[in-house]
Amino acid sequence: MRRAWVNVVYGVLVILILSGVGLLLGGYAAQADELPVLSVTQLQQRLGKPVRRDGQQVIDLQQFQIDLSDESFRRTFYGEIQSSLQTGAASLGLDLSASHILGDLDLARLGLRTPLLGDGLMGLLPDDAQQQFILDRRATDAARRTVSILRGRLSLNDAVVDGHLQAQDTYFLGQLDAHNVVVTGPLTVTLARFLRRVDITAGQLRQPCAFN
């Protein structure tokens, strides 16, 4: 009898957990429908008018539905943001907080690609990043490896990434804020380097993660 009650309680708990997950995912879907869809025109307007936040210039893309499953928009999104983030001597941040991103998000495509053996960017990097470069050159097959450099702060607080979140071979020179982020696909950050504070407290990862 006791085992039967245990089985009943266990079954009820499983149903409640699955129901909760279903409600949660339903809530995310509803939230996405309520957010304005980011258009190319709005993207260009936001890129042209960064806001100052915590003493740093930031591209504000908060609270948008961003459809990266659309190939044409995806190409424009990465190309224009990458160009804006890497133009000029001062670092520029990107805020995607509370946005719902449909499709895969590849953070490496937002940074400046450079050979690990190249010295062209060394003058723009802080001392700790230069030291990390030197260490990685010794530890890996540096001759064949290229990396992506993100100089500014990146915010994904309360964002939903409805796909694969990637950041392979990416150097984050600014802090990464991803409090309460939800990632429904895999998370891949192999050979990523974080030179400043990282906050992923209360984040929800629904599929396997790849770290190295």
Side-chain angles (χ1 to χ4, degrees), residues 2-3 14 25 37 44 79 86 94 109-110 113-114 121 124 134 145 164 174-175 187 189 201 209-210:
R2 183 176 180 181
R3 177 173 296 181
V14 169
L25 291 175
V37 177
Q44 292 170 340
Q86 308 311 324
L94 176 64
R109 291 183 63 179
L110 299 176
R113 300 296 300 188
T114 182
L121 294 176
L124 297 176
I134 293 170
R145 186 178 167 199
H164 188 178
Q175 69 185 55
L187 171 66
V189 288
T201 54
C209 307

Side-chain angles (χ1 to χ4, degrees), residues 58-89:
V58 174
I59 298 169
D60 183 6
L61 295 180
Q62 295 184 88
Q63 297 181 320
F64 277 107
Q65 182 183 148
I66 302 173
D67 188 2
L68 296 184
S69 64
D70 180 275
E71 182 178 355
S72 177
F73 181 79
R74 180 171 66 245
R75 190 163 51 245
T76 301
F77 177 85
Y78 284 121
E80 299 214 9
I81 292 181
Q82 196 264 4
S83 178
S84 294
L85 290 180
Q86 308 311 324
T87 300

Side-chain angles (χ1 to χ4, degrees), residues 19 24 33 66 71 79-80 84 87 113 124 126 129 137 163 172 177 194 200:
S19 299
L24 194 60
D33 291 338
I66 302 173
E71 182 178 355
E80 299 214 9
S84 294
T87 300
R113 300 296 300 188
L124 297 176
R137 287 171 175 176
F172 293 86
D177 297 314
F194 302 90
I200 55 172

Side-chain angles (χ1 to χ4, degrees), residues 180-194:
N180 207 35
V181 68
V182 176
V183 182
T184 65
L187 171 66
T188 305
V189 288
T190 51
L191 297 176
R193 300 291 182 260
F194 302 90

Side-chain angles (χ1 to χ4, degrees), residues 127-147:
D127 290 342
D128 52 357
Q130 293 185 32
Q131 292 300 317
Q132 186 63 60
F133 255 60
I134 293 170
L135 290 173
D136 286 343
R137 287 171 175 176
R138 296 171 179 169
T140 64
D141 186 6
R144 299 181 179 180
R145 186 178 167 199
T146 62
V147 297

